[in-house]
PDB file of all heavy atoms in Angstrom:
ATOM      1  N   SER A   1      13.741 -16.802  -1.493  1.00  0.00           N
ATOM      2  CA  SER A   1      15.072 -17.290  -1.906  1.00  0.00           C
ATOM      3  C   SER A   1      16.089 -16.243  -1.398  1.00  0.00           C
ATOM      4  O   SER A   1      17.191 -16.600  -0.846  1.00  0.00           O
ATOM      5  CB  SER A   1      15.154 -17.509  -3.356  1.00  0.00           C
ATOM      6  OG  SER A   1      16.411 -17.908  -3.694  1.00  0.00           O
ATOM      7  N   PHE A   2      15.850 -14.975  -1.657  1.00  0.00           N
ATOM      8  CA  PHE A   2      16.752 -13.922  -1.269  1.00  0.00           C
ATOM      9  C   PHE A   2      16.943 -13.814   0.186  1.00  0.00           C
ATOM     10  O   PHE A   2      18.020 -13.720   0.763  1.00  0.00           O
ATOM     11  CB  PHE A   2      16.242 -12.534  -1.799  1.00  0.00           C
ATOM     12  CG  PHE A   2      16.996 -11.326  -1.330  1.00  0.00           C
ATOM     13  CD1 PHE A   2      18.297 -11.082  -1.716  1.00  0.00           C
ATOM     14  CD2 PHE A   2      16.416 -10.505  -0.444  1.00  0.00           C
ATOM     15  CE1 PHE A   2      19.049 -10.050  -1.235  1.00  0.00           C
ATOM     16  CE2 PHE A   2      17.039  -9.417   0.072  1.00  0.00           C
ATOM     17  CZ  PHE A   2      18.389  -9.114  -0.357  1.00  0.00           C
ATOM     18  N   LEU A   3      15.824 -13.874   0.924  1.00  0.00           N
ATOM     19  CA  LEU A   3      15.895 -13.889   2.430  1.00  0.00           C
ATOM     20  C   LEU A   3      16.661 -14.946   3.026  1.00  0.00           C
ATOM     21  O   LEU A   3      17.572 -14.841   3.904  1.00  0.00           O
ATOM     22  CB  LEU A   3      14.518 -13.843   3.070  1.00  0.00           C
ATOM     23  CG  LEU A   3      13.723 -12.494   2.770  1.00  0.00           C
ATOM     24  CD1 LEU A   3      12.276 -12.571   3.297  1.00  0.00           C
ATOM     25  CD2 LEU A   3      14.347 -11.287   3.323  1.00  0.00           C
ATOM     26  N   LYS A   4      16.515 -16.214   2.435  1.00  0.00           N
ATOM     27  CA  LYS A   4      17.280 -17.340   2.820  1.00  0.00           C
ATOM     28  C   LYS A   4      18.714 -17.199   2.630  1.00  0.00           C
ATOM     29  O   LYS A   4      19.576 -17.605   3.367  1.00  0.00           O
ATOM     30  CB  LYS A   4      16.771 -18.555   2.200  1.00  0.00           C
ATOM     31  CG  LYS A   4      15.407 -19.104   2.767  1.00  0.00           C
ATOM     32  CD  LYS A   4      14.903 -20.302   1.982  1.00  0.00           C
ATOM     33  CE  LYS A   4      13.564 -20.692   2.414  1.00  0.00           C
ATOM     34  NZ  LYS A   4      13.007 -21.790   1.624  1.00  0.00           N
ATOM     35  N   HIS A   5      18.997 -16.650   1.498  1.00  0.00           N
ATOM     36  CA  HIS A   5      20.409 -16.322   1.048  1.00  0.00           C
ATOM     37  C   HIS A   5      21.143 -15.426   2.132  1.00  0.00           C
ATOM     38  O   HIS A   5      22.189 -15.665   2.539  1.00  0.00           O
ATOM     39  CB  HIS A   5      20.581 -15.794  -0.397  1.00  0.00           C
ATOM     40  CG  HIS A   5      21.894 -15.412  -0.727  1.00  0.00           C
ATOM     41  ND1 HIS A   5      22.975 -16.311  -1.016  1.00  0.00           N
ATOM     42  CD2 HIS A   5      22.501 -14.164  -0.811  1.00  0.00           C
ATOM     43  CE1 HIS A   5      24.017 -15.703  -1.262  1.00  0.00           C
ATOM     44  NE2 HIS A   5      23.797 -14.350  -1.171  1.00  0.00           N
ATOM     45  N   VAL A   6      20.498 -14.383   2.444  1.00  0.00           N
ATOM     46  CA  VAL A   6      21.024 -13.318   3.344  1.00  0.00           C
ATOM     47  C   VAL A   6      21.113 -13.939   4.761  1.00  0.00           C
ATOM     48  O   VAL A   6      22.076 -13.533   5.482  1.00  0.00           O
ATOM     49  CB  VAL A   6      20.296 -12.067   3.235  1.00  0.00           C
ATOM     50  CG1 VAL A   6      20.879 -10.995   4.223  1.00  0.00           C
ATOM     51  CG2 VAL A   6      20.298 -11.489   1.836  1.00  0.00           C
ATOM     52  N   VAL A   7      20.255 -14.742   5.188  1.00  0.00           N
ATOM     53  CA  VAL A   7      20.197 -15.243   6.535  1.00  0.00           C
ATOM     54  C   VAL A   7      21.234 -16.357   6.766  1.00  0.00           C
ATOM     55  O   VAL A   7      21.658 -16.623   7.856  1.00  0.00           O
ATOM     56  CB  VAL A   7      18.762 -15.823   6.810  1.00  0.00           C
ATOM     57  CG1 VAL A   7      18.739 -16.632   8.139  1.00  0.00           C
ATOM     58  CG2 VAL A   7      17.793 -14.685   7.018  1.00  0.00           C
ATOM     59  N   ASP A   8      21.525 -16.920   5.676  1.00  0.00           N
ATOM     60  CA  ASP A   8      22.516 -18.108   5.678  1.00  0.00           C
ATOM     61  C   ASP A   8      23.705 -17.819   6.501  1.00  0.00           C
ATOM     62  O   ASP A   8      24.362 -16.798   6.288  1.00  0.00           O
ATOM     63  CB  ASP A   8      22.869 -18.588   4.346  1.00  0.00           C
ATOM     64  CG  ASP A   8      23.592 -19.849   4.190  1.00  0.00           C
ATOM     65  OD1 ASP A   8      24.556 -19.992   4.919  1.00  0.00           O
ATOM     66  OD2 ASP A   8      23.216 -20.683   3.359  1.00  0.00           O
ATOM     67  N   PRO A   9      24.184 -18.675   7.427  1.00  0.00           N
ATOM     68  CA  PRO A   9      25.379 -18.463   8.171  1.00  0.00           C
ATOM     69  C   PRO A   9      26.583 -18.336   7.311  1.00  0.00           C
ATOM     70  O   PRO A   9      27.576 -17.649   7.696  1.00  0.00           O
ATOM     71  CB  PRO A   9      25.532 -19.667   9.089  1.00  0.00           C
ATOM     72  CG  PRO A   9      24.130 -20.342   9.101  1.00  0.00           C
ATOM     73  CD  PRO A   9      23.482 -19.923   7.846  1.00  0.00           C
ATOM     74  N   GLY A  10      26.583 -18.864   6.175  1.00  0.00           N
ATOM     75  CA  GLY A  10      27.718 -18.791   5.224  1.00  0.00           C
ATOM     76  C   GLY A  10      27.665 -17.566   4.269  1.00  0.00           C
ATOM     77  O   GLY A  10      28.383 -17.529   3.268  1.00  0.00           O
ATOM     78  N   PHE A  11      26.797 -16.660   4.549  1.00  0.00           N
ATOM     79  CA  PHE A  11      26.479 -15.499   3.704  1.00  0.00           C
ATOM     80  C   PHE A  11      27.840 -14.750   3.463  1.00  0.00           C
ATOM     81  O   PHE A  11      28.463 -14.423   4.389  1.00  0.00           O
ATOM     82  CB  PHE A  11      25.468 -14.599   4.313  1.00  0.00           C
ATOM     83  CG  PHE A  11      25.319 -13.301   3.601  1.00  0.00           C
ATOM     84  CD1 PHE A  11      24.510 -13.217   2.400  1.00  0.00           C
ATOM     85  CD2 PHE A  11      25.921 -12.039   3.987  1.00  0.00           C
ATOM     86  CE1 PHE A  11      24.372 -12.039   1.703  1.00  0.00           C
ATOM     87  CE2 PHE A  11      25.726 -10.921   3.279  1.00  0.00           C
ATOM     88  CZ  PHE A  11      24.952 -10.896   2.154  1.00  0.00           C
ATOM     89  N   VAL A  12      28.184 -14.552   2.171  1.00  0.00           N
ATOM     90  CA  VAL A  12      29.286 -13.749   1.792  1.00  0.00           C
ATOM     91  C   VAL A  12      28.773 -12.584   0.910  1.00  0.00           C
ATOM     92  O   VAL A  12      28.003 -12.877  -0.093  1.00  0.00           O
ATOM     93  CB  VAL A  12      30.292 -14.621   0.956  1.00  0.00           C
ATOM     94  CG1 VAL A  12      31.358 -13.694   0.425  1.00  0.00           C
ATOM     95  CG2 VAL A  12      30.871 -15.591   1.889  1.00  0.00           C
ATOM     96  N   TYR A  13      29.013 -11.388   1.250  1.00  0.00           N
ATOM     97  CA  TYR A  13      28.494 -10.232   0.474  1.00  0.00           C
ATOM     98  C   TYR A  13      29.253 -10.259  -0.810  1.00  0.00           C
ATOM     99  O   TYR A  13      30.443  -9.953  -0.845  1.00  0.00           O
ATOM    100  CB  TYR A  13      28.650  -9.005   1.291  1.00  0.00           C
ATOM    101  CG  TYR A  13      28.283  -7.727   0.507  1.00  0.00           C
ATOM    102  CD1 TYR A  13      26.971  -7.483   0.210  1.00  0.00           C
ATOM    103  CD2 TYR A  13      29.201  -6.827   0.084  1.00  0.00           C
ATOM    104  CE1 TYR A  13      26.568  -6.360  -0.503  1.00  0.00           C
ATOM    105  CE2 TYR A  13      28.973  -5.706  -0.599  1.00  0.00           C
ATOM    106  CZ  TYR A  13      27.579  -5.456  -0.975  1.00  0.00           C
ATOM    107  OH  TYR A  13      27.154  -4.418  -1.673  1.00  0.00           O
ATOM    108  N   ASP A  14      28.523 -10.351  -1.948  1.00  0.00           N
ATOM    109  CA  ASP A  14      29.094 -10.377  -3.245  1.00  0.00           C
ATOM    110  C   ASP A  14      28.015  -9.528  -4.100  1.00  0.00           C
ATOM    111  O   ASP A  14      27.082 -10.125  -4.565  1.00  0.00           O
ATOM    112  CB  ASP A  14      29.300 -11.753  -3.812  1.00  0.00           C
ATOM    113  CG  ASP A  14      29.900 -11.820  -5.248  1.00  0.00           C
ATOM    114  OD1 ASP A  14      29.939 -10.598  -5.841  1.00  0.00           O
ATOM    115  OD2 ASP A  14      30.178 -12.814  -5.703  1.00  0.00           O
ATOM    116  N   THR A  15      28.362  -8.257  -4.290  1.00  0.00           N
ATOM    117  CA  THR A  15      27.422  -7.397  -5.077  1.00  0.00           C
ATOM    118  C   THR A  15      27.093  -7.891  -6.352  1.00  0.00           C
ATOM    119  O   THR A  15      25.897  -7.792  -6.813  1.00  0.00           O
ATOM    120  CB  THR A  15      27.929  -5.955  -5.032  1.00  0.00           C
ATOM    121  OG1 THR A  15      26.924  -5.107  -5.495  1.00  0.00           O
ATOM    122  CG2 THR A  15      29.168  -5.742  -5.914  1.00  0.00           C
ATOM    123  N   GLU A  16      28.129  -8.469  -7.160  1.00  0.00           N
ATOM    124  CA  GLU A  16      27.697  -8.932  -8.487  1.00  0.00           C
ATOM    125  C   GLU A  16      26.760 -10.132  -8.438  1.00  0.00           C
ATOM    126  O   GLU A  16      25.894 -10.130  -9.297  1.00  0.00           O
ATOM    127  CB  GLU A  16      29.063  -9.312  -9.234  1.00  0.00           C
ATOM    128  CG  GLU A  16      29.917  -8.151  -9.543  1.00  0.00           C
ATOM    129  CD  GLU A  16      29.296  -7.173 -10.372  1.00  0.00           C
ATOM    130  OE1 GLU A  16      28.604  -7.544 -11.459  1.00  0.00           O
ATOM    131  OE2 GLU A  16      29.438  -5.978 -10.219  1.00  0.00           O
ATOM    132  N   TYR A  17      26.967 -11.103  -7.558  1.00  0.00           N
ATOM    133  CA  TYR A  17      25.987 -12.190  -7.470  1.00  0.00           C
ATOM    134  C   TYR A  17      24.636 -11.743  -6.989  1.00  0.00           C
ATOM    135  O   TYR A  17      23.655 -12.185  -7.605  1.00  0.00           O
ATOM    136  CB  TYR A  17      26.623 -13.277  -6.381  1.00  0.00           C
ATOM    137  CG  TYR A  17      25.623 -14.298  -6.151  1.00  0.00           C
ATOM    138  CD1 TYR A  17      25.532 -15.277  -7.133  1.00  0.00           C
ATOM    139  CD2 TYR A  17      24.859 -14.362  -5.044  1.00  0.00           C
ATOM    140  CE1 TYR A  17      24.605 -16.454  -6.936  1.00  0.00           C
ATOM    141  CE2 TYR A  17      23.910 -15.447  -4.880  1.00  0.00           C
ATOM    142  CZ  TYR A  17      23.802 -16.360  -5.837  1.00  0.00           C
ATOM    143  OH  TYR A  17      22.941 -17.430  -5.614  1.00  0.00           O
ATOM    144  N   LEU A  18      24.553 -10.863  -6.072  1.00  0.00           N
ATOM    145  CA  LEU A  18      23.334 -10.390  -5.533  1.00  0.00           C
ATOM    146  C   LEU A  18      22.488  -9.689  -6.633  1.00  0.00           C
ATOM    147  O   LEU A  18      21.346 -10.022  -6.797  1.00  0.00           O
ATOM    148  CB  LEU A  18      23.535  -9.412  -4.325  1.00  0.00           C
ATOM    149  CG  LEU A  18      23.928  -9.972  -3.039  1.00  0.00           C
ATOM    150  CD1 LEU A  18      24.300  -8.973  -2.034  1.00  0.00           C
ATOM    151  CD2 LEU A  18      22.818 -10.833  -2.519  1.00  0.00           C
ATOM    152  N   THR A  19      23.226  -8.787  -7.304  1.00  0.00           N
ATOM    153  CA  THR A  19      22.451  -8.012  -8.316  1.00  0.00           C
ATOM    154  C   THR A  19      22.101  -8.788  -9.485  1.00  0.00           C
ATOM    155  O   THR A  19      21.012  -8.673 -10.077  1.00  0.00           O
ATOM    156  CB  THR A  19      23.207  -6.701  -8.723  1.00  0.00           C
ATOM    157  OG1 THR A  19      24.470  -7.152  -9.171  1.00  0.00           O
ATOM    158  CG2 THR A  19      23.314  -5.684  -7.646  1.00  0.00           C
ATOM    159  N   HIS A  20      22.944  -9.729  -9.888  1.00  0.00           N
ATOM    160  CA  HIS A  20      22.597 -10.585 -10.971  1.00  0.00           C
ATOM    161  C   HIS A  20      21.482 -11.546 -10.628  1.00  0.00           C
ATOM    162  O   HIS A  20      20.589 -11.688 -11.464  1.00  0.00           O
ATOM    163  CB  HIS A  20      23.869 -11.452 -11.462  1.00  0.00           C
ATOM    164  CG  HIS A  20      23.617 -12.374 -12.576  1.00  0.00           C
ATOM    165  ND1 HIS A  20      23.427 -12.005 -13.882  1.00  0.00           N
ATOM    166  CD2 HIS A  20      23.480 -13.713 -12.617  1.00  0.00           C
ATOM    167  CE1 HIS A  20      23.176 -13.034 -14.660  1.00  0.00           C
ATOM    168  NE2 HIS A  20      23.202 -14.072 -13.906  1.00  0.00           N
ATOM    169  N   THR A  21      21.512 -12.179  -9.604  1.00  0.00           N
ATOM    170  CA  THR A  21      20.568 -13.267  -9.196  1.00  0.00           C
ATOM    171  C   THR A  21      19.183 -12.720  -8.734  1.00  0.00           C
ATOM    172  O   THR A  21      18.136 -13.197  -9.082  1.00  0.00           O
ATOM    173  CB  THR A  21      21.214 -14.100  -8.066  1.00  0.00           C
ATOM    174  OG1 THR A  21      22.396 -14.664  -8.521  1.00  0.00           O
ATOM    175  CG2 THR A  21      20.263 -15.272  -7.716  1.00  0.00           C
ATOM    176  N   PHE A  22      19.218 -11.644  -7.931  1.00  0.00           N
ATOM    177  CA  PHE A  22      18.097 -11.126  -7.262  1.00  0.00           C
ATOM    178  C   PHE A  22      17.538  -9.835  -7.830  1.00  0.00           C
ATOM    179  O   PHE A  22      16.568  -9.255  -7.293  1.00  0.00           O
ATOM    180  CB  PHE A  22      18.192 -11.032  -5.791  1.00  0.00           C
ATOM    181  CG  PHE A  22      18.653 -12.371  -5.177  1.00  0.00           C
ATOM    182  CD1 PHE A  22      19.864 -12.587  -4.672  1.00  0.00           C
ATOM    183  CD2 PHE A  22      17.718 -13.465  -5.068  1.00  0.00           C
ATOM    184  CE1 PHE A  22      20.202 -13.825  -4.073  1.00  0.00           C
ATOM    185  CE2 PHE A  22      18.028 -14.665  -4.488  1.00  0.00           C
ATOM    186  CZ  PHE A  22      19.331 -14.855  -3.964  1.00  0.00           C
ATOM    187  N   PHE A  23      18.275  -9.304  -8.828  1.00  0.00           N
ATOM    188  CA  PHE A  23      17.736  -7.983  -9.334  1.00  0.00           C
ATOM    189  C   PHE A  23      17.702  -7.990 -10.829  1.00  0.00           C
ATOM    190  O   PHE A  23      16.629  -7.611 -11.336  1.00  0.00           O
ATOM    191  CB  PHE A  23      18.786  -6.887  -8.820  1.00  0.00           C
ATOM    192  CG  PHE A  23      18.255  -5.502  -8.974  1.00  0.00           C
ATOM    193  CD1 PHE A  23      17.531  -4.927  -8.032  1.00  0.00           C
ATOM    194  CD2 PHE A  23      18.659  -4.727 -10.068  1.00  0.00           C
ATOM    195  CE1 PHE A  23      16.982  -3.601  -8.165  1.00  0.00           C
ATOM    196  CE2 PHE A  23      18.142  -3.473 -10.190  1.00  0.00           C
ATOM    197  CZ  PHE A  23      17.351  -2.897  -9.289  1.00  0.00           C
ATOM    198  N   GLU A  24      18.733  -8.382 -11.514  1.00  0.00           N
ATOM    199  CA  GLU A  24      18.730  -8.243 -12.997  1.00  0.00           C
ATOM    200  C   GLU A  24      17.916  -9.349 -13.606  1.00  0.00           C
ATOM    201  O   GLU A  24      17.334  -9.110 -14.684  1.00  0.00           O
ATOM    202  CB  GLU A  24      20.143  -8.269 -13.524  1.00  0.00           C
ATOM    203  CG  GLU A  24      20.824  -7.003 -13.075  1.00  0.00           C
ATOM    204  CD  GLU A  24      22.418  -7.168 -13.346  1.00  0.00           C
ATOM    205  OE1 GLU A  24      22.775  -8.250 -13.718  1.00  0.00           O
ATOM    206  OE2 GLU A  24      23.094  -6.138 -13.113  1.00  0.00           O
ATOM    207  N   ARG A  25      17.845 -10.540 -13.057  1.00  0.00           N
ATOM    208  CA  ARG A  25      17.287 -11.684 -13.658  1.00  0.00           C
ATOM    209  C   ARG A  25      15.755 -11.863 -13.295  1.00  0.00           C
ATOM    210  O   ARG A  25      15.207 -12.888 -13.618  1.00  0.00           O
ATOM    211  CB  ARG A  25      18.001 -12.973 -13.319  1.00  0.00           C
ATOM    212  CG  ARG A  25      19.385 -13.117 -13.929  1.00  0.00           C
ATOM    213  CD  ARG A  25      20.010 -14.418 -13.608  1.00  0.00           C
ATOM    214  NE  ARG A  25      19.151 -15.537 -13.762  1.00  0.00           N
ATOM    215  CZ  ARG A  25      19.368 -16.714 -13.301  1.00  0.00           C
ATOM    216  NH1 ARG A  25      20.400 -16.923 -12.402  1.00  0.00           N
ATOM    217  NH2 ARG A  25      18.536 -17.726 -13.501  1.00  0.00           N
ATOM    218  N   VAL A  26      15.181 -10.895 -12.656  1.00  0.00           N
ATOM    219  CA  VAL A  26      13.744 -11.043 -12.304  1.00  0.00           C
ATOM    220  C   VAL A  26      12.965  -9.995 -12.938  1.00  0.00           C
ATOM    221  O   VAL A  26      13.404  -8.936 -13.357  1.00  0.00           O
ATOM    222  CB  VAL A  26      13.647 -10.987 -10.768  1.00  0.00           C
ATOM    223  CG1 VAL A  26      14.353 -12.177 -10.068  1.00  0.00           C
ATOM    224  CG2 VAL A  26      14.119  -9.668 -10.219  1.00  0.00           C
ATOM    225  N   ARG A  27      11.666 -10.256 -13.003  1.00  0.00           N
ATOM    226  CA  ARG A  27      10.748  -9.248 -13.565  1.00  0.00           C
ATOM    227  C   ARG A  27      10.631  -8.014 -12.679  1.00  0.00           C
ATOM    228  O   ARG A  27      10.936  -8.081 -11.530  1.00  0.00           O
ATOM    229  CB  ARG A  27       9.277  -9.819 -13.741  1.00  0.00           C
ATOM    230  CG  ARG A  27       9.150 -10.832 -14.783  1.00  0.00           C
ATOM    231  CD  ARG A  27       7.730 -11.344 -14.931  1.00  0.00           C
ATOM    232  NE  ARG A  27       7.870 -12.687 -14.536  1.00  0.00           N
ATOM    233  CZ  ARG A  27       6.974 -13.416 -13.831  1.00  0.00           C
ATOM    234  NH1 ARG A  27       5.811 -12.843 -13.502  1.00  0.00           N
ATOM    235  NH2 ARG A  27       7.090 -14.686 -13.551  1.00  0.00           N
ATOM    236  N   PRO A  28      10.326  -6.903 -13.376  1.00  0.00           N
ATOM    237  CA  PRO A  28      10.271  -5.651 -12.523  1.00  0.00           C
ATOM    238  C   PRO A  28       9.354  -5.712 -11.338  1.00  0.00           C
ATOM    239  O   PRO A  28       9.750  -5.208 -10.256  1.00  0.00           O
ATOM    240  CB  PRO A  28       9.736  -4.557 -13.564  1.00  0.00           C
ATOM    241  CG  PRO A  28      10.188  -5.099 -14.874  1.00  0.00           C
ATOM    242  CD  PRO A  28      10.132  -6.611 -14.751  1.00  0.00           C
TER     243      PRO A  28
END
């Protein structure tokens, strides 16, 4: 899901969204 998000042509770098979705909400 993370790779698809970053590859997406409409990718917008949003550090809060990235860290919340792909870092903080997942198991270690």
